[in-house]
Amino acid sequence: MELIEQRLLEVLAGVAPRSSSVPFYSTVTGGVVDTVGLDAGYWFANLRRRVRFEEATRVLLGAGMRVFLECSAHPVLTVGIEETAADVGVEVAAVGSLRRGEGGWRRWLVSVGEAFVRGVGVDWSSALPVRPRGEVLLPTYPFQRRRYWINATGGVADLGLAGLGSAGHPLWGAAVTMAESGEVLFTGRLSLDAHPWLADHAVSGRVLLPGAGFVELVLHAGDHVGCGRVEELTLHAPLFLPEQGAVQVQLLLGVADDAGRRPVSVHARSEHADPDLPWTRHAAGILSAEVIDPGFDLTVWPPLGAVPVSTAGLYDDLVAQGYEYGPVFQGVQAAWRVGEVVYAEVALPQEAFVEAGRFGVHPALLDAALQAVGIGEPVPADRGPYLPFAWADVALFATGATALRVKITSAGPEAATLHLADPEGSPVAVVG
């Protein structure tokens, strides 16, 4: 045990002592003594006189000592030291060296580690051999990860105290109607901490809110004022999400005209931005109160004459084009073609089912439907990522879907019409 304790002192001190003499504070004499003075007379006095342990501890604390190491076969003094320090009002690190039944090298290293994590400088070279450092190459493919943390709900304080009303949506925090103009303002805060599933949507190495996310934000705002149809929506700039921190988002619904149409715009900026800096406009469009008749169903599935299209390797191919989809956005399950028309099945992973019920249509599910556009067609080798930037005649007929049947019809160069149905074929949404 003496050898182990000596090595412990060496590591903590960073140098080997020149002799076995180690100074310490005596609780009997009330002063600093040297181990060479630990003779029979010392131990006789130690047994006969009153032990002034608490007094000695207070003297050391008063001298600025904050690290206490008990070299013994089992720690019995650390608790008393911590209690005295708490009474004085200071924080200390009090650790033992060995423990009953744990007197080997492993226990010694654990004790050193306990001291190290509590702020004690440790010269690990005295205990660990020096090994050459090598470089380790990271994988060239995106990390396939799955979260098991319980997601925060991003709850807010009582909005009524601030004169606001709840927006009733996971991406919106509050809504307020302007007193004179009749405009309606929605506000929210987007971050990867509050909405970790957004981290699964990255393009060229940067996380951004998908176009389907803007559609969902606008659809909910329109439904709030009785405008259930997105007549048009154009994306002006991508909304990148930082790895740390958040962005503030505002959506402004203008006053309705005689036909019940309202202008809508979406702006955002970093939550740490200078208040005097302008907001960035990311999207703008028109909402309408016109009711759209679905006019379709997808109950016959797959359609007659449909030819299966392999989806194996789809997401590997998308990585090569610059898309980086995590598990929540890897929703394409199967696909077929009938001439130029594409049919697909898309679904959310089970861990997203609960949150899907809070959306009109979960952005990851709508994004998966877009991923099937052009599936089965050759992709030019030099093609970069395509992002949807213009939407028209979007209407929602059912909410909270976790899986969809999708029909995709070409609507011209780089344009498509989407019909979305639930797994029984009943209409969920249409993108005209």
Side-chain angles (χ1 to χ4, degrees):
M1 188 177 75
E2 291 180 359
L3 176 59
I4 292 177
E5 291 179 355
Q6 180 177 334
R7 289 296 304 278
L8 178 60
L9 291 169
E10 291 175 9
V11 172
L12 293 177
V15 295
R18 296 180 180 178
S19 69
S20 60
S21 174
V22 180
F24 71 102
Y25 192 94
S26 171
T27 60
V28 177
T29 64
V32 177
V33 300
D34 201 274
T35 50
V36 296
L38 300 183
D39 53 13
Y42 170 84
W43 290 111
F44 175 81
N46 188 73
L47 293 173
R48 295 285 295 176
R49 297 180 183 178
R50 176 171 61 90
V51 175
R52 301 155 61 191
F53 182 75
E54 180 182 4
E55 180 183 342
T57 302
R58 290 180 181 273
V59 170
L60 293 173
L61 293 173
M65 303 299 176
R66 296 295 182 265
V67 179
F68 294 81
L69 173 64
E70 180 181 349
C71 293
S72 64
H74 189 79
V76 294
L77 303 176
T78 54
V79 174
I81 294 171
E82 291 172 344
E83 290 178 347
T84 303
D87 185 63
V88 173
V90 299
E91 294 186 5
V92 299
V95 298
S97 54
L98 307 178
R99 298 188 69 86
R100 186 180 301 110
E102 301 178 49
W105 184 249
R106 180 180 179 84
R107 177 64 252 179
W108 178 84
L109 289 176
V110 171
S111 297
V112 175
E114 290 174 349
F116 179 70
V117 299
R118 300 187 69 174
V120 179
V122 174
D123 179 8
W124 290 106
S125 64
S126 300
L128 302 175
V130 178
R131 295 188 178 94
R133 298 180 180 179
E135 294 183 356
V136 179
L137 297 177
L138 293 175
T140 56
Y141 54 84
F143 288 103
Q144 302 299 311
R145 63 195 184 282
R146 186 176 293 266
R147 287 179 54 90
Y148 292 96
W149 300 109
I150 298 176
N151 294 333
T153 60
V156 295
D158 185 357
L159 296 172
L161 297 177
L164 303 174
S166 173
H169 192 273
L171 299 182
W172 286 126
V176 62
T177 301
M178 304 302 181
E180 292 191 10
S181 68
E183 296 175 312
V184 182
L185 178 67
F186 286 77
T187 65
R189 178 182 181 274
L190 301 182
S191 72
L192 300 186
D193 288 335
H195 313 289
W197 56 271
L198 287 172
D200 285 353
H201 185 272
V203 177
S204 300
R206 300 189 66 181
V207 176
L208 73 162
L209 182 69
F214 283 103
V215 171
E216 170 64 15
L217 292 174
V218 172
L219 276 172
H220 179 79
D223 184 67
H224 187 81
V225 295
C227 292
R229 173 183 171 226
V230 179
E231 189 171 299
E232 62 179 72
L233 182 67
T234 302
L235 307 187
H236 295 274
L239 176 51
F240 295 107
L241 300 176
E243 294 183 5
Q244 304 292 332
V247 293
Q248 298 171 334
V249 185
Q250 289 187 359
L251 181 149
L252 183 63
L253 281 173
V255 180
D257 62 14
D258 294 339
R261 300 163 72 244
R262 286 177 177 260
V264 61
S265 61
V266 181
H267 293 72
R269 70 177 182 183
S270 170
E271 66 175 350
H272 301 302
D274 188 325
D276 295 329
L277 292 178
W279 292 64
T280 299
R281 185 172 73 166
H282 292 276
I286 300 293
L287 296 178
S288 171
E290 179 185 358
V291 178
I292 297 179
D293 182 5
F296 74 95
D297 71 73
L298 299 177
T299 54
V300 178
W301 195 262
L304 296 176
V307 178
V309 176
S310 175
T311 59
L314 169 64
Y315 289 99
D316 291 335
D317 294 339
L318 290 174
V319 168
Q321 297 172 36
Y323 304 96
E324 300 166 27
Y325 292 128
V328 176
F329 280 81
Q330 295 182 9
V332 178
Q333 307 294 307
W336 300 263
R337 293 185 72 99
V338 179
E340 297 299 316
V341 181
V342 174
Y343 296 86
E345 290 179 352
V346 299
L348 293 171
Q350 188 171 4
E351 56 264 29
F353 281 10
V354 173
E355 191 162 66
R358 305 172 63 201
F359 288 91
V361 56
H362 196 292
L365 194 61
L366 181 55
D367 191 88
L370 296 173
Q371 296 166 18
V373 174
I375 194 170
E377 298 179 354
V379 178
D382 58 349
R383 172 181 155 177
Y386 275 22
L387 298 176
F389 73 93
W391 303 72
D393 297 327
V394 183
L396 191 61
F397 311 115
T399 62
T402 58
L404 295 173
R405 293 177 177 178
V406 185
K407 177 184 178 182
I408 304 170
T409 308
S410 175
E414 299 183 1
T417 296
L418 281 75
H419 294 85
L420 313 177
D422 64 20
E424 285 70 46
S426 298
V428 171
V430 63
V431 180

